[in-house]
Amino acid sequence: RSPGDQYAISASRDRCLLTWDLAVQKRLTAHRAHHGGLNCVAVMQNQTTVFTASQEKTITQWDLRQADPVRTWDLDEEVLSMSLSPDNQFLATCGTGLLVRVWDVATNSECSRGVGHSRTVQRLAFSPDGKQLVSVGLDHAIMVWNFYT
């Protein structure tokens, strides 16, 4: 949901990324991933740049004002959750690879990797100040990662 709770963005296993205006109950945009269902979505503060992760082991960056993806990069794991840092400079991901990864949004390059979970990592989130990440896995572990830029 957007800060004013007027808009919502949804991503689903049917490969659709949809934007909704909740005030008028109307769909604003519809985008479709090329392959595989979408597992999760992260929205930048500008409310037009969106990242999705698919079952096909990819991350896709979208500009909601354009029909086609801005860029896509291939991974070696299925990402199940992602979180943008409060300053929108970093994207954290986790999934079937048992890792917590942090990516530089500007370059799509991995800048940090957290190893510690022994099973699939299901969810993660940045703290409000962006100095920590919290991850939760199927190994029943909750891990807090310090993050310094």
Side-chain angles (χ1 to χ4, degrees), residues 25-52:
Q25 300 178 2
K26 180 181 174 184
R27 187 178 73 197
L28 299 176
T29 64
H31 296 81
R32 190 167 187 98
H34 295 294
H35 304 287
L38 301 177
N39 292 332
C40 55
V41 62
V43 183
M44 291 186 103
Q45 290 173 354
N46 66 16
Q47 301 292 309
T48 59
T49 304
V50 176
F51 295 91
T52 58

Short mmCIF file of all heavy atoms in Angstrom, two decimals, residues 25-52:
data_model
loop_
_atom_site.label_atom_id
_atom_site.label_comp_id
_atom_site.label_asym_id
_atom_site.label_seq_id
_atom_site.Cartn_x
_atom_site.Cartn_y
_atom_site.Cartn_z
N GLN A 25 -11.70 2.36 -6.56
CA GLN A 25 -11.82 0.92 -6.79
C GLN A 25 -11.61 0.56 -8.26
O GLN A 25 -12.45 -0.08 -8.89
CB GLN A 25 -13.16 0.41 -6.27
CG GLN A 25 -13.33 0.66 -4.80
CD GLN A 25 -14.69 0.19 -4.29
OE1 GLN A 25 -15.50 -0.36 -5.02
NE2 GLN A 25 -14.92 0.42 -3.01
N LYS A 26 -10.44 0.99 -8.77
CA LYS A 26 -10.15 0.79 -10.19
C LYS A 26 -8.71 0.35 -10.37
O LYS A 26 -7.81 0.84 -9.68
CB LYS A 26 -10.40 2.11 -10.93
CG LYS A 26 -10.15 2.06 -12.41
CD LYS A 26 -10.40 3.41 -13.05
CE LYS A 26 -10.01 3.40 -14.50
NZ LYS A 26 -10.16 4.71 -15.12
N ARG A 27 -8.50 -0.58 -11.31
CA ARG A 27 -7.14 -0.98 -11.64
C ARG A 27 -6.51 0.09 -12.54
O ARG A 27 -7.12 0.53 -13.51
CB ARG A 27 -7.15 -2.33 -12.37
CG ARG A 27 -5.74 -2.86 -12.59
CD ARG A 27 -5.73 -4.21 -13.25
NE ARG A 27 -6.12 -4.01 -14.65
CZ ARG A 27 -6.54 -4.98 -15.44
NH1 ARG A 27 -6.69 -6.19 -14.98
NH2 ARG A 27 -6.84 -4.73 -16.68
N LEU A 28 -5.29 0.50 -12.19
CA LEU A 28 -4.60 1.55 -12.95
C LEU A 28 -3.65 0.97 -13.99
O LEU A 28 -3.59 1.46 -15.12
CB LEU A 28 -3.82 2.46 -12.00
CG LEU A 28 -4.65 3.21 -10.97
CD1 LEU A 28 -3.75 3.99 -10.04
CD2 LEU A 28 -5.65 4.13 -11.66
N THR A 29 -2.86 -0.03 -13.60
CA THR A 29 -1.87 -0.61 -14.51
C THR A 29 -1.88 -2.12 -14.38
O THR A 29 -2.26 -2.67 -13.35
CB THR A 29 -0.44 -0.11 -14.23
OG1 THR A 29 -0.03 -0.55 -12.94
CG2 THR A 29 -0.34 1.40 -14.32
N ALA A 30 -1.44 -2.77 -15.44
CA ALA A 30 -1.28 -4.22 -15.45
C ALA A 30 -0.02 -4.56 -16.22
O ALA A 30 0.16 -4.12 -17.36
CB ALA A 30 -2.50 -4.89 -16.08
N HIS A 31 0.87 -5.29 -15.58
CA HIS A 31 2.11 -5.77 -16.21
C HIS A 31 2.14 -7.28 -16.05
O HIS A 31 1.63 -7.81 -15.07
CB HIS A 31 3.33 -5.14 -15.53
CG HIS A 31 3.40 -3.66 -15.70
ND1 HIS A 31 2.67 -2.79 -14.91
CD2 HIS A 31 4.09 -2.89 -16.56
CE1 HIS A 31 2.92 -1.55 -15.28
NE2 HIS A 31 3.78 -1.58 -16.28
N ARG A 32 2.79 -7.95 -16.98
CA ARG A 32 2.84 -9.41 -16.93
C ARG A 32 4.28 -9.86 -17.09
O ARG A 32 4.95 -9.49 -18.06
CB ARG A 32 1.96 -10.01 -18.00
CG ARG A 32 1.78 -11.49 -17.85
CD ARG A 32 0.63 -11.96 -18.76
NE ARG A 32 0.33 -13.34 -18.51
CZ ARG A 32 -0.66 -13.75 -17.74
NH1 ARG A 32 -1.45 -12.89 -17.17
NH2 ARG A 32 -0.89 -15.03 -17.57
N ALA A 33 4.73 -10.68 -16.15
CA ALA A 33 6.08 -11.26 -16.23
C ALA A 33 6.11 -12.27 -17.37
O ALA A 33 5.10 -12.90 -17.69
CB ALA A 33 6.44 -11.93 -14.91
N HIS A 34 7.26 -12.41 -17.99
CA HIS A 34 7.39 -13.31 -19.13
C HIS A 34 7.29 -14.78 -18.73
O HIS A 34 6.67 -15.57 -19.43
CB HIS A 34 8.70 -13.05 -19.87
CG HIS A 34 8.76 -11.69 -20.49
ND1 HIS A 34 7.94 -11.30 -21.52
CD2 HIS A 34 9.53 -10.61 -20.21
CE1 HIS A 34 8.20 -10.05 -21.85
NE2 HIS A 34 9.15 -9.60 -21.07
N HIS A 35 7.92 -15.14 -17.62
CA HIS A 35 7.95 -16.54 -17.21
C HIS A 35 7.78 -16.64 -15.70
O HIS A 35 8.32 -15.82 -14.96
CB HIS A 35 9.28 -17.19 -17.59
CG HIS A 35 9.60 -17.09 -19.05
ND1 HIS A 35 8.95 -17.84 -19.99
CD2 HIS A 35 10.49 -16.33 -19.72
CE1 HIS A 35 9.43 -17.54 -21.19
NE2 HIS A 35 10.36 -16.62 -21.05
N GLY A 36 7.10 -17.65 -15.25
CA GLY A 36 7.01 -17.96 -13.82
C GLY A 36 6.19 -16.97 -13.02
O GLY A 36 6.14 -15.78 -13.32
N GLY A 37 5.53 -17.50 -12.00
CA GLY A 37 4.75 -16.66 -11.11
C GLY A 37 5.61 -15.74 -10.28
O GLY A 37 6.80 -15.99 -10.09
N LEU A 38 5.02 -14.68 -9.78
CA LEU A 38 5.74 -13.70 -8.97
C LEU A 38 5.57 -14.05 -7.49
O LEU A 38 4.47 -14.28 -7.02
CB LEU A 38 5.20 -12.29 -9.24
CG LEU A 38 5.31 -11.83 -10.70
CD1 LEU A 38 4.68 -10.46 -10.86
CD2 LEU A 38 6.75 -11.84 -11.17
N ASN A 39 6.69 -14.10 -6.79
CA ASN A 39 6.70 -14.45 -5.37
C ASN A 39 6.55 -13.25 -4.45
O ASN A 39 5.98 -13.36 -3.37
CB ASN A 39 8.00 -15.17 -5.00
CG ASN A 39 8.09 -16.54 -5.62
OD1 ASN A 39 7.08 -17.18 -5.90
ND2 ASN A 39 9.31 -16.99 -5.86
N CYS A 40 7.13 -12.11 -4.85
CA CYS A 40 7.13 -10.96 -3.96
C CYS A 40 7.38 -9.68 -4.75
O CYS A 40 7.79 -9.72 -5.91
CB CYS A 40 8.18 -11.12 -2.85
SG CYS A 40 9.84 -11.43 -3.45
N VAL A 41 7.15 -8.56 -4.08
CA VAL A 41 7.29 -7.25 -4.70
C VAL A 41 7.88 -6.28 -3.69
O VAL A 41 7.63 -6.40 -2.49
CB VAL A 41 5.92 -6.75 -5.23
CG1 VAL A 41 4.93 -6.58 -4.10
CG2 VAL A 41 6.05 -5.47 -6.03
N ALA A 42 8.67 -5.34 -4.18
CA ALA A 42 9.20 -4.24 -3.36
C ALA A 42 9.01 -2.95 -4.17
O ALA A 42 9.29 -2.92 -5.37
CB ALA A 42 10.67 -4.45 -3.03
N VAL A 43 8.54 -1.91 -3.50
CA VAL A 43 8.20 -0.65 -4.17
C VAL A 43 9.09 0.47 -3.63
O VAL A 43 9.19 0.66 -2.43
CB VAL A 43 6.71 -0.29 -3.92
CG1 VAL A 43 6.33 0.98 -4.67
CG2 VAL A 43 5.81 -1.45 -4.30
N MET A 44 9.71 1.21 -4.55
CA MET A 44 10.53 2.35 -4.15
C MET A 44 9.63 3.49 -3.69
O MET A 44 8.44 3.53 -4.00
CB MET A 44 11.43 2.80 -5.30
CG MET A 44 12.53 1.80 -5.62
SD MET A 44 13.67 2.44 -6.85
CE MET A 44 15.04 2.87 -5.79
N GLN A 45 10.22 4.45 -3.00
CA GLN A 45 9.48 5.58 -2.47
C GLN A 45 8.82 6.43 -3.55
O GLN A 45 7.80 7.07 -3.30
CB GLN A 45 10.39 6.45 -1.61
CG GLN A 45 10.79 5.79 -0.32
CD GLN A 45 11.83 6.60 0.44
OE1 GLN A 45 12.35 7.60 -0.03
NE2 GLN A 45 12.16 6.14 1.64
N ASN A 46 9.38 6.41 -4.76
CA ASN A 46 8.79 7.20 -5.84
C ASN A 46 7.47 6.61 -6.34
O ASN A 46 6.79 7.22 -7.16
CB ASN A 46 9.77 7.38 -6.99
CG ASN A 46 10.11 6.07 -7.69
OD1 ASN A 46 9.44 5.04 -7.56
ND2 ASN A 46 11.18 6.10 -8.47
N GLN A 47 7.11 5.42 -5.87
CA GLN A 47 5.85 4.74 -6.19
C GLN A 47 5.70 4.35 -7.66
O GLN A 47 4.63 3.93 -8.07
CB GLN A 47 4.64 5.59 -5.76
CG GLN A 47 4.60 5.92 -4.29
CD GLN A 47 4.36 4.69 -3.41
OE1 GLN A 47 3.44 3.95 -3.64
NE2 GLN A 47 5.20 4.51 -2.42
N THR A 48 6.75 4.51 -8.47
CA THR A 48 6.69 4.08 -9.86
C THR A 48 7.70 2.99 -10.18
O THR A 48 7.54 2.28 -11.17
CB THR A 48 6.89 5.26 -10.83
OG1 THR A 48 8.16 5.87 -10.58
CG2 THR A 48 5.78 6.29 -10.68
N THR A 49 8.75 2.86 -9.38
CA THR A 49 9.76 1.83 -9.58
C THR A 49 9.45 0.66 -8.66
O THR A 49 9.33 0.83 -7.45
CB THR A 49 11.17 2.36 -9.30
OG1 THR A 49 11.41 3.51 -10.12
CG2 THR A 49 12.22 1.31 -9.58
N VAL A 50 9.32 -0.52 -9.27
CA VAL A 50 8.92 -1.71 -8.54
C VAL A 50 9.86 -2.86 -8.91
O VAL A 50 10.26 -2.99 -10.07
CB VAL A 50 7.46 -2.09 -8.90
CG1 VAL A 50 7.04 -3.37 -8.23
CG2 VAL A 50 6.52 -0.96 -8.53
N PHE A 51 10.18 -3.69 -7.92
CA PHE A 51 10.96 -4.89 -8.15
C PHE A 51 10.09 -6.10 -7.86
O PHE A 51 9.34 -6.11 -6.88
CB PHE A 51 12.19 -4.93 -7.22
CG PHE A 51 13.18 -3.85 -7.50
CD1 PHE A 51 13.09 -2.63 -6.84
CD2 PHE A 51 14.20 -4.03 -8.42
CE1 PHE A 51 13.99 -1.62 -7.08
CE2 PHE A 51 15.11 -3.02 -8.68
CZ PHE A 51 15.00 -1.82 -8.02
N THR A 52 10.18 -7.12 -8.71
CA THR A 52 9.49 -8.38 -8.46
C THR A 52 10.50 -9.51 -8.55
O THR A 52 11.50 -9.41 -9.26
CB THR A 52 8.36 -8.64 -9.49
OG1 THR A 52 8.91 -8.64 -10.82
CG2 THR A 52 7.26 -7.61 -9.36
#
